[in-house]
mmCIF file with all atom_site columns, all heavy atoms in Angstrom:
data_model
loop_
_atom_site.group_PDB
_atom_site.id
_atom_site.type_symbol
_atom_site.label_atom_id
_atom_site.label_alt_id
_atom_site.label_comp_id
_atom_site.label_asym_id
_atom_site.label_entity_id
_atom_site.label_seq_id
_atom_site.pdbx_PDB_ins_code
_atom_site.Cartn_x
_atom_site.Cartn_y
_atom_site.Cartn_z
_atom_site.occupancy
_atom_site.B_iso_or_equiv
_atom_site.pdbx_formal_charge
_atom_site.auth_seq_id
_atom_site.auth_comp_id
_atom_site.auth_asym_id
_atom_site.auth_atom_id
_atom_site.pdbx_PDB_model_num
ATOM 1   N N   . ASN A 1 324 ? 32.387 54.417 -25.736 1.00 0.00 ? 358 ASN A N   1
ATOM 2   C CA  . ASN A 1 324 ? 31.591 53.534 -24.901 1.00 0.00 ? 358 ASN A CA  1
ATOM 3   C C   . ASN A 1 324 ? 30.653 52.728 -25.764 1.00 0.00 ? 358 ASN A C   1
ATOM 4   O O   . ASN A 1 324 ? 30.684 52.784 -26.982 1.00 0.00 ? 358 ASN A O   1
ATOM 5   C CB  . ASN A 1 324 ? 30.808 54.344 -23.845 1.00 0.00 ? 358 ASN A CB  1
ATOM 6   C CG  . ASN A 1 324 ? 29.956 55.424 -24.493 1.00 0.00 ? 358 ASN A CG  1
ATOM 7   O OD1 . ASN A 1 324 ? 29.045 55.113 -25.271 1.00 0.00 ? 358 ASN A OD1 1
ATOM 8   N ND2 . ASN A 1 324 ? 30.256 56.682 -24.204 1.00 0.00 ? 358 ASN A ND2 1
ATOM 9   N N   . GLU A 1 325 ? 29.777 51.951 -25.105 1.00 0.00 ? 359 GLU A N   1
ATOM 10  C CA  . GLU A 1 325 ? 28.878 51.063 -25.830 1.00 0.00 ? 359 GLU A CA  1
ATOM 11  C C   . GLU A 1 325 ? 27.916 51.819 -26.739 1.00 0.00 ? 359 GLU A C   1
ATOM 12  O O   . GLU A 1 325 ? 27.424 51.284 -27.722 1.00 0.00 ? 359 GLU A O   1
ATOM 13  C CB  . GLU A 1 325 ? 28.062 50.205 -24.848 1.00 0.00 ? 359 GLU A CB  1
ATOM 14  C CG  . GLU A 1 325 ? 28.875 49.086 -24.184 1.00 0.00 ? 359 GLU A CG  1
ATOM 15  C CD  . GLU A 1 325 ? 29.691 49.605 -23.021 1.00 0.00 ? 359 GLU A CD  1
ATOM 16  O OE1 . GLU A 1 325 ? 29.720 50.833 -22.798 1.00 0.00 ? 359 GLU A OE1 1
ATOM 17  O OE2 . GLU A 1 325 ? 30.319 48.774 -22.337 1.00 0.00 ? 359 GLU A OE2 1
ATOM 18  N N   . ARG A 1 326 ? 27.637 53.089 -26.434 1.00 0.00 ? 360 ARG A N   1
ATOM 19  C CA  . ARG A 1 326 ? 26.690 53.859 -27.237 1.00 0.00 ? 360 ARG A CA  1
ATOM 20  C C   . ARG A 1 326 ? 27.373 54.640 -28.351 1.00 0.00 ? 360 ARG A C   1
ATOM 21  O O   . ARG A 1 326 ? 26.717 55.268 -29.159 1.00 0.00 ? 360 ARG A O   1
ATOM 22  C CB  . ARG A 1 326 ? 25.908 54.829 -26.338 1.00 0.00 ? 360 ARG A CB  1
ATOM 23  C CG  . ARG A 1 326 ? 25.085 54.108 -25.264 1.00 0.00 ? 360 ARG A CG  1
ATOM 24  C CD  . ARG A 1 326 ? 24.410 55.113 -24.337 1.00 0.00 ? 360 ARG A CD  1
ATOM 25  N NE  . ARG A 1 326 ? 23.636 54.451 -23.320 1.00 0.00 ? 360 ARG A NE  1
ATOM 26  C CZ  . ARG A 1 326 ? 24.146 53.995 -22.189 1.00 0.00 ? 360 ARG A CZ  1
ATOM 27  N NH1 . ARG A 1 326 ? 25.433 54.129 -21.955 1.00 0.00 ? 360 ARG A NH1 1
ATOM 28  N NH2 . ARG A 1 326 ? 23.388 53.394 -21.291 1.00 0.00 ? 360 ARG A NH2 1
ATOM 29  N N   . SER A 1 327 ? 28.712 54.626 -28.352 1.00 0.00 ? 361 SER A N   1
ATOM 30  C CA  . SER A 1 327 ? 29.431 55.344 -29.394 1.00 0.00 ? 361 SER A CA  1
ATOM 31  C C   . SER A 1 327 ? 29.492 54.509 -30.658 1.00 0.00 ? 361 SER A C   1
ATOM 32  O O   . SER A 1 327 ? 29.588 53.282 -30.585 1.00 0.00 ? 361 SER A O   1
ATOM 33  C CB  . SER A 1 327 ? 30.863 55.657 -28.938 1.00 0.00 ? 361 SER A CB  1
ATOM 34  O OG  . SER A 1 327 ? 30.839 56.388 -27.743 1.00 0.00 ? 361 SER A OG  1
ATOM 35  N N   . PRO A 1 328 ? 29.438 55.122 -31.833 1.00 0.00 ? 362 PRO A N   1
ATOM 36  C CA  . PRO A 1 328 ? 29.601 54.357 -33.070 1.00 0.00 ? 362 PRO A CA  1
ATOM 37  C C   . PRO A 1 328 ? 31.003 53.787 -33.157 1.00 0.00 ? 362 PRO A C   1
ATOM 38  O O   . PRO A 1 328 ? 31.960 54.390 -32.666 1.00 0.00 ? 362 PRO A O   1
ATOM 39  C CB  . PRO A 1 328 ? 29.350 55.398 -34.173 1.00 0.00 ? 362 PRO A CB  1
ATOM 40  C CG  . PRO A 1 328 ? 29.644 56.713 -33.517 1.00 0.00 ? 362 PRO A CG  1
ATOM 41  C CD  . PRO A 1 328 ? 29.257 56.551 -32.078 1.00 0.00 ? 362 PRO A CD  1
ATOM 42  N N   . ILE A 1 329 ? 31.131 52.612 -33.788 1.00 0.00 ? 363 ILE A N   1
ATOM 43  C CA  . ILE A 1 329 ? 32.442 51.989 -33.899 1.00 0.00 ? 363 ILE A CA  1
ATOM 44  C C   . ILE A 1 329 ? 33.384 52.881 -34.677 1.00 0.00 ? 363 ILE A C   1
ATOM 45  O O   . ILE A 1 329 ? 34.542 53.058 -34.339 1.00 0.00 ? 363 ILE A O   1
ATOM 46  C CB  . ILE A 1 329 ? 32.312 50.600 -34.562 1.00 0.00 ? 363 ILE A CB  1
ATOM 47  C CG1 . ILE A 1 329 ? 31.514 49.665 -33.640 1.00 0.00 ? 363 ILE A CG1 1
ATOM 48  C CG2 . ILE A 1 329 ? 33.672 50.002 -34.854 1.00 0.00 ? 363 ILE A CG2 1
ATOM 49  C CD1 . ILE A 1 329 ? 31.352 48.276 -34.192 1.00 0.00 ? 363 ILE A CD1 1
ATOM 50  N N   . LEU A 1 330 ? 32.910 53.469 -35.762 1.00 0.00 ? 364 LEU A N   1
ATOM 51  C CA  . LEU A 1 330 ? 33.690 54.445 -36.517 1.00 0.00 ? 364 LEU A CA  1
ATOM 52  C C   . LEU A 1 330 ? 33.159 55.838 -36.205 1.00 0.00 ? 364 LEU A C   1
ATOM 53  O O   . LEU A 1 330 ? 32.058 56.191 -36.594 1.00 0.00 ? 364 LEU A O   1
ATOM 54  C CB  . LEU A 1 330 ? 33.590 54.168 -38.019 1.00 0.00 ? 364 LEU A CB  1
ATOM 55  C CG  . LEU A 1 330 ? 34.428 53.002 -38.535 1.00 0.00 ? 364 LEU A CG  1
ATOM 56  C CD1 . LEU A 1 330 ? 34.020 52.685 -39.960 1.00 0.00 ? 364 LEU A CD1 1
ATOM 57  C CD2 . LEU A 1 330 ? 35.902 53.321 -38.478 1.00 0.00 ? 364 LEU A CD2 1
ATOM 58  N N   . SER A 1 331 ? 33.918 56.602 -35.469 1.00 0.00 ? 365 SER A N   1
ATOM 59  C CA  . SER A 1 331 ? 33.468 57.924 -35.054 1.00 0.00 ? 365 SER A CA  1
ATOM 60  C C   . SER A 1 331 ? 34.404 58.984 -35.600 1.00 0.00 ? 365 SER A C   1
ATOM 61  O O   . SER A 1 331 ? 35.608 58.877 -35.484 1.00 0.00 ? 365 SER A O   1
ATOM 62  C CB  . SER A 1 331 ? 33.439 58.016 -33.515 1.00 0.00 ? 365 SER A CB  1
ATOM 63  O OG  . SER A 1 331 ? 33.116 59.318 -33.114 1.00 0.00 ? 365 SER A OG  1
ATOM 64  N N   . ARG A 1 332 ? 33.827 60.023 -36.182 1.00 0.00 ? 366 ARG A N   1
ATOM 65  C CA  . ARG A 1 332 ? 34.639 61.096 -36.740 1.00 0.00 ? 366 ARG A CA  1
ATOM 66  C C   . ARG A 1 332 ? 35.094 62.093 -35.690 1.00 0.00 ? 366 ARG A C   1
ATOM 67  O O   . ARG A 1 332 ? 35.974 62.893 -35.917 1.00 0.00 ? 366 ARG A O   1
ATOM 68  C CB  . ARG A 1 332 ? 33.841 61.844 -37.815 1.00 0.00 ? 366 ARG A CB  1
ATOM 69  C CG  . ARG A 1 332 ? 33.482 60.958 -39.005 1.00 0.00 ? 366 ARG A CG  1
ATOM 70  C CD  . ARG A 1 332 ? 32.741 61.766 -40.048 1.00 0.00 ? 366 ARG A CD  1
ATOM 71  N NE  . ARG A 1 332 ? 32.408 60.942 -41.199 1.00 0.00 ? 366 ARG A NE  1
ATOM 72  C CZ  . ARG A 1 332 ? 31.722 61.386 -42.250 1.00 0.00 ? 366 ARG A CZ  1
ATOM 73  N NH1 . ARG A 1 332 ? 31.315 62.651 -42.291 1.00 0.00 ? 366 ARG A NH1 1
ATOM 74  N NH2 . ARG A 1 332 ? 31.459 60.582 -43.262 1.00 0.00 ? 366 ARG A NH2 1
ATOM 75  N N   . ASN A 1 333 ? 34.462 62.061 -34.538 1.00 0.00 ? 367 ASN A N   1
ATOM 76  C CA  . ASN A 1 333 ? 34.765 63.071 -33.522 1.00 0.00 ? 367 ASN A CA  1
ATOM 77  C C   . ASN A 1 333 ? 35.320 62.440 -32.256 1.00 0.00 ? 367 ASN A C   1
ATOM 78  O O   . ASN A 1 333 ? 35.075 62.888 -31.169 1.00 0.00 ? 367 ASN A O   1
ATOM 79  C CB  . ASN A 1 333 ? 33.499 63.870 -33.178 1.00 0.00 ? 367 ASN A CB  1
ATOM 80  C CG  . ASN A 1 333 ? 32.940 64.586 -34.386 1.00 0.00 ? 367 ASN A CG  1
ATOM 81  O OD1 . ASN A 1 333 ? 33.695 65.171 -35.149 1.00 0.00 ? 367 ASN A OD1 1
ATOM 82  N ND2 . ASN A 1 333 ? 31.629 64.532 -34.561 1.00 0.00 ? 367 ASN A ND2 1
ATOM 83  N N   . ARG A 1 334 ? 36.071 61.364 -32.432 1.00 0.00 ? 368 ARG A N   1
ATOM 84  C CA  . ARG A 1 334 ? 36.597 60.692 -31.257 1.00 0.00 ? 368 ARG A CA  1
ATOM 85  C C   . ARG A 1 334 ? 37.656 61.529 -30.549 1.00 0.00 ? 368 ARG A C   1
ATOM 86  O O   . ARG A 1 334 ? 37.770 61.541 -29.355 1.00 0.00 ? 368 ARG A O   1
ATOM 87  C CB  . ARG A 1 334 ? 37.215 59.346 -31.656 1.00 0.00 ? 368 ARG A CB  1
ATOM 88  C CG  . ARG A 1 334 ? 36.229 58.212 -31.668 1.00 0.00 ? 368 ARG A CG  1
ATOM 89  C CD  . ARG A 1 334 ? 36.958 56.904 -31.808 1.00 0.00 ? 368 ARG A CD  1
ATOM 90  N NE  . ARG A 1 334 ? 37.819 56.700 -30.650 1.00 0.00 ? 368 ARG A NE  1
ATOM 91  C CZ  . ARG A 1 334 ? 38.652 55.673 -30.558 1.00 0.00 ? 368 ARG A CZ  1
ATOM 92  N NH1 . ARG A 1 334 ? 38.752 54.811 -31.513 1.00 0.00 ? 368 ARG A NH1 1
ATOM 93  N NH2 . ARG A 1 334 ? 39.396 55.515 -29.484 1.00 0.00 ? 368 ARG A NH2 1
ATOM 94  N N   . ARG A 1 335 ? 38.488 62.240 -31.339 1.00 0.00 ? 369 ARG A N   1
ATOM 95  C CA  . ARG A 1 335 ? 39.602 62.958 -30.740 1.00 0.00 ? 369 ARG A CA  1
ATOM 96  C C   . ARG A 1 335 ? 39.395 64.462 -30.880 1.00 0.00 ? 369 ARG A C   1
ATOM 97  O O   . ARG A 1 335 ? 38.871 64.934 -31.880 1.00 0.00 ? 369 ARG A O   1
ATOM 98  C CB  . ARG A 1 335 ? 40.912 62.547 -31.415 1.00 0.00 ? 369 ARG A CB  1
ATOM 99  C CG  . ARG A 1 335 ? 41.189 61.063 -31.263 1.00 0.00 ? 369 ARG A CG  1
ATOM 100 C CD  . ARG A 1 335 ? 42.513 60.716 -31.965 1.00 0.00 ? 369 ARG A CD  1
ATOM 101 N NE  . ARG A 1 335 ? 42.835 59.327 -31.766 1.00 0.00 ? 369 ARG A NE  1
ATOM 102 C CZ  . ARG A 1 335 ? 42.497 58.375 -32.624 1.00 0.00 ? 369 ARG A CZ  1
ATOM 103 N NH1 . ARG A 1 335 ? 41.828 58.664 -33.695 1.00 0.00 ? 369 ARG A NH1 1
ATOM 104 N NH2 . ARG A 1 335 ? 42.823 57.119 -32.381 1.00 0.00 ? 369 ARG A NH2 1
ATOM 105 N N   . PRO A 1 336 ? 39.844 65.220 -29.932 1.00 0.00 ? 370 PRO A N   1
ATOM 106 C CA  . PRO A 1 336 ? 39.738 66.664 -30.041 1.00 0.00 ? 370 PRO A CA  1
ATOM 107 C C   . PRO A 1 336 ? 40.523 67.173 -31.229 1.00 0.00 ? 370 PRO A C   1
ATOM 108 O O   . PRO A 1 336 ? 41.492 66.565 -31.665 1.00 0.00 ? 370 PRO A O   1
ATOM 109 C CB  . PRO A 1 336 ? 40.348 67.166 -28.712 1.00 0.00 ? 370 PRO A CB  1
ATOM 110 C CG  . PRO A 1 336 ? 40.302 65.990 -27.795 1.00 0.00 ? 370 PRO A CG  1
ATOM 111 C CD  . PRO A 1 336 ? 40.410 64.785 -28.640 1.00 0.00 ? 370 PRO A CD  1
#
Side-chain angles (χ1 to χ4, degrees):
N358 55 63
E359 286 81 354
R360 299 176 180 84
S361 303
I363 294 181
L364 283 169
S365 175
R366 297 182 179 178
N367 300 317
R368 272 191 63 185
R369 300 180 177 94

